[in-house]
Amino acid sequence: MDSILILDFGSQTTQLIGRRIRDLGVYTEILPGDRKLTDADLANVRGIILSGSPASVYSPDGAVPDRRIYTQGVPLLGICYGLQRMNKDQGGTVEALPQREYGGVEVTVSIPPTNHLFFAAFDRSILLSDIIARQVPAKSEASTVSFMSWMSHGDTLTHLAPGFREYGRSSTGFPAVVLHESQPWFGLQFHPEATHCERGIEIIAAFVFGVCACKPEWTMEQYIETVRTSLAEKVGNSPVLLLISGGVDSTVAGGLLLKTLQSDQVHLMYIDTGLMRKNETLTVKDSLERLGAQRLHILHCEDEFLEALKGVEDPEAKRKIIGDLFITIQEREVCNLGLPESYFLAQGTLYTDLIESGKGIGKKAHLIKSHHNVGSPLVEAKRKAGRIIEPLDRLYKDEVRRLGQLLSLEESVIRRHPFPGPGLGVRIIGEITKEKCAILREADAIYIEELKRRGLYDEIWQAFGVLLPIRSVGVAGDLRTYGWVLALRAITSADGMTAEVYPFPIKDLLEISTLITNTVKEIGRVTYDISSKPPATIEWE
Ligand code: XMP
């Protein structure tokens, strides 16, 4: 399958480049910018993109790509640092700008009289589909086109390397589009992958389809077949155990295993801690049974968890108790299954989980998906034995959702908001009791149901209720009441690292509040949490 290789020099938007190209139907891989490239790394690679970087090409942390990229005849696209890197590697110079350029900057490109496919992307008269179909009419005259790009850089090209020529300039007077005269090498000072870059997708498509001639072969149907082949080779007839959390990733991973292996080979284990959302266990069970699960092990451990949490108020202590008990139960129950030593442990790890966070360098960090499994002896032992399989480890979250749809998982499971491992345990502030779990579960379900009914659920990244450890005075008819206080939380976010408060229309908030207090008698007052992250976190504990 045709593929685009992205060399990651540490830019915040490297992942976005990968996702944009995958959305166009072409497979991408991200590797560290300074990696020594093997033949295997370059197999099927039709083009290489050099990403941006927080570093300068002159600084010691400015990574240098393998010289091989310049000798393979493979088309190159340098973005920001990637362009500066190519220019420097080929003998040009790069220097610091008097001040950093950041945000929207207009770029004007001079389009030569040619039918060169890369330039076609800049021409308003040409549709993206035409570019993909390679039906680009030749033009007789040179023309210019301007658009608003998105930039973030502190350095600029001062002398172009031999063979490079400037075709576009920023309104601030610096080279913005640079092409090589005889090699298929292209450089952009701006970020076409950024959401706010006008014509960015067209430019990427022009490179991927027009220059690299990639075929859009990356589909989820194709992915299922690839997984089927690789699992058949690796797993054979051995049993596979997957721990299901109720979240999208592990449920889709379960569906994929059931689709690609014999269903009696696939053991799915789900631990109900008693801290789950309303009907969560039932929904997970139904979904997996519908997908053909034969060996579904649902463990009801509510009493064990509540007993261990009795009288505990400290958030960290609660998290530790829940996490430790989860691992203890997991170890015990896996033993009880009596699987042969040769069984494989599957995890719902995603592509983004494998990219080392923070540095943004495309190294496999072997992160372990669920916090419950971090340091879990079971996972560690299996990893050492080479018996871990991660069938989603090539996919982005959006692709996991698409795969879920293809596997016929319900939309309610696929589009479900994230839920923390300790569950309601970190949403009941103070001591956790069975009664409080029931109150919160009911109120939270009303809230979520209303968001769905009002068409707001998919606009919100995460929404939930938090039961506060205070009671407040109220009235019901002639009676004085003394009910619990519920805080509603709703945020928008890209990845949960930062979050904005969802700006609810007040009418919705008022109606939802009334519905909750009318239905859940134990709740006397509802508040809305208006704190962003930072300084607050998304969860309250
Ligand atoms: P915070 O509260 O740290 O949450 O802003 C960021 C995102 O992570 C989720 N979260 C967790 N997920 N185990 C998880 O699997 C946990 O212990 C945990 N704590 C927080 C939280 O729901 C939000 O989506």
Side-chain angles (χ1 to χ4, degrees):
M1 182 171 31
D2 291 348
S3 152
I4 297 286
L5 172 62
I6 300 165
L7 291 179
D8 180 18
F9 294 97
S11 164
Q12 292 289 323
T13 52
T14 302
Q15 292 282 349
L16 211 46
I17 306 172
R19 280 181 44 192
R20 296 273 185 255
I21 299 174
R22 295 258 190 119
D23 283 348
L24 293 170
V26 173
Y27 186 64
T28 54
E29 279 274 3
I30 299 177
L31 290 176
D34 59 356
R35 179 177 169 112
K36 181 117 197 63
L37 296 170
T38 62
D39 289 347
D41 292 336
L42 293 171
N44 302 320
V45 168
R46 301 277 170 264
I48 300 176
I49 296 183
L50 289 79
S51 84
S53 171
S56 161
V57 288
Y58 290 109
S59 62
D61 54 343
V64 181
D66 189 334
R67 300 284 312 175
R68 243 185 122 174
I69 64 168
Y70 298 114
T71 59
Q72 302 289 302
V74 179
L76 302 180
L77 173 64
I79 294 177
C80 194
Y81 175 94
L83 160 63
Q84 296 164 7
R85 185 76 263 168
M86 284 161 58
N87 188 54
K88 170 148 191 309
D89 290 354
Q90 296 302 316
T93 57
V94 174
E95 288 174 54
L97 285 169
Q99 73 184 51
R100 208 178 158 72
E101 210 164 21
Y102 183 84
V105 178
E106 192 177 53
V107 165
T108 301
V109 184
S110 314
I111 302 177
T114 168
N115 66 348
H116 194 300
L117 282 156
F118 190 76
F119 282 112
F122 295 104
D123 190 321
R124 280 206 176 82
S125 66
I126 295 167
L127 296 172
L128 187 62
S129 55
D130 295 329
I131 298 169
I132 294 169
R134 311 197 82 202
Q135 291 165 349
V136 183
K139 287 198 269 102
S140 53
E141 302 173 0
S143 57
T144 63
V145 62
S146 298
F147 60 93
M148 194 55 82
S149 78
W150 195 90
M151 294 197 181
S152 173
H153 64 122
D155 289 349
T156 185
L157 271 49
T158 40
H159 286 104
L160 298 191
F164 277 121
R165 196 172 138 196
E166 179 185 315
Y167 281 89
R169 193 155 259 262
S170 66
S171 55
T172 42
F174 301 104
V177 178
V178 172
L179 311 187
H180 197 280
E181 295 286 287
S182 54
Q183 299 280 355
W185 297 346
F186 310 89
L188 307 171
Q189 187 50 70
F190 56 89
H191 288 267
E193 72 280 14
T195 317
H196 299 297
C197 183
E198 278 179 18
R199 322 211 63 192
I201 301 294
E202 289 169 81
I203 294 167
I204 292 174
F207 178 71
V208 171
F209 297 115
V211 177
C212 305
C214 286
K215 292 180 282 308
E217 300 164 312
W218 171 247
T219 62
M220 286 304 108
E221 285 89 348
Q222 162 76 37
Y223 186 72
I224 292 175
E225 286 320 305
T226 312
V227 170
R228 196 192 301 281
T229 314
S230 76
L231 283 187
E233 219 170 80
K234 183 160 184 184
V235 173
N237 292 322
S238 302
V240 174
L241 170 66
L242 174 72
L243 301 164
I244 300 273
S245 70
V248 184
D249 304 344
S250 62
T251 313
V252 173
L256 183 58
L257 292 177
L258 290 166
K259 177 101 182 168
T260 51
L261 294 168
Q262 299 296 328
S263 53
D264 61 355
Q265 212 180 335
V266 182
H267 293 257
L268 304 170
M269 183 186 276
Y270 171 89
I271 299 174
D272 183 341
T273 58
L275 304 168
M276 325 304 287
R277 290 166 285 191
K278 188 175 178 183
N279 292 334
E280 182 147 21
T281 304
L282 218 56
T283 312
V284 169
K285 182 170 179 285
D286 285 353
S287 309
L288 293 167
E289 280 177 349
R290 271 198 329 100
L291 295 180
Q294 288 184 20
R295 301 184 189 269
L296 185 54
H297 312 283
I298 305 255
L299 307 167
H300 297 278
C301 304
E302 181 185 23
D303 292 346
E304 258 179 282
F305 278 90
L306 289 180
E307 183 57 34
L309 287 164
K310 217 176 212 166
V312 184
E313 292 185 1
D314 178 66
E316 277 314 301
K318 287 199 293 187
R319 274 177 176 272
K320 181 152 175 31
I321 290 170
I322 298 168
D324 288 353
L325 184 56
F326 195 94
I327 289 174
T328 307
I329 294 177
Q330 175 185 303
E331 301 276 321
R332 180 184 79 205
E333 298 297 333
V334 170
C335 273
N336 286 346
L337 288 182
L339 296 173
E341 189 63 24
S342 61
Y343 84 89
F344 282 80
L345 187 67
Q347 299 215 105
T349 316
L350 306 192
Y351 193 51
T352 33
D353 299 322
L354 291 179
I355 308 290
E356 200 171 41
S357 54
K359 287 185 201 148
I361 299 289
K363 274 185 190 135
K364 269 198 169 196
H366 284 307
L367 286 187
I368 296 155
K369 182 68 194 167
S370 157
H371 82 295
H372 284 320
N373 288 340
V374 175
S376 150
L378 176 73
V379 175
E380 291 314 311
K382 280 290 168 193
R383 195 173 289 290
K384 252 195 210 135
R387 289 192 167 264
I388 293 266
I389 53 171
E390 294 168 317
L392 306 181
D393 71 351
R394 292 281 149 251
L395 303 185
Y396 288 98
K397 190 82 172 184
D398 297 350
E399 293 172 322
V400 170
R401 294 208 166 100
R402 281 216 295 279
L403 179 59
Q405 278 164 338
L406 194 65
L407 295 169
S408 309
L409 270 170
E410 299 93 329
E411 280 296 311
S412 62
V413 174
I414 294 169
R415 308 225 71 83
R416 201 157 213 194
H417 289 172
F419 190 57
L424 301 186
V426 289
R427 294 179 178 175
I428 293 169
I429 312 304
E431 188 186 359
I432 299 164
T433 63
K434 191 168 179 154
E435 293 68 37
K436 283 187 180 175
C437 288
I439 295 169
L440 179 56
R441 228 188 317 270
E442 212 47 50
D444 186 73
I446 294 171
Y447 178 33
I448 298 300
E449 195 46 48
E450 276 305 301
L451 295 181
K452 288 184 179 163
R453 207 175 61 76
R454 290 159 194 262
L456 303 175
Y457 187 78
D458 289 335
E459 276 182 31
I460 296 172
W461 197 79
Q462 198 173 12
F464 52 88
V466 181
L467 193 65
L468 307 188
I470 43 172
R471 299 173 78 179
S472 91
V473 174
V475 285
D478 293 335
L479 294 180
R480 179 181 180 278
T481 59
Y482 196 48
W484 293 106
V485 180
L486 179 83
L488 299 179
R489 185 95 166 112
I491 53 103
T492 56
S493 175
D495 51 14
M497 302 299 283
T498 59
E500 297 296 328
V501 176
Y502 180 68
F504 259 115
I506 190 73
K507 181 172 175 293
D508 292 301
L509 268 185
L510 298 180
E511 288 170 1
I512 292 171
S513 163
T514 306
L515 195 62
I516 291 174
T517 45
N518 281 348
T519 318
V520 188
K521 296 292 174 216
E522 295 85 349
I523 292 178
R525 199 174 287 264
V526 176
T527 68
Y528 186 51
D529 177 356
I530 53 167
S531 324
S532 298
K533 173 182 179 178
T537 49
I538 297 174
E539 303 291 344
W540 277 44
E541 285 196 335

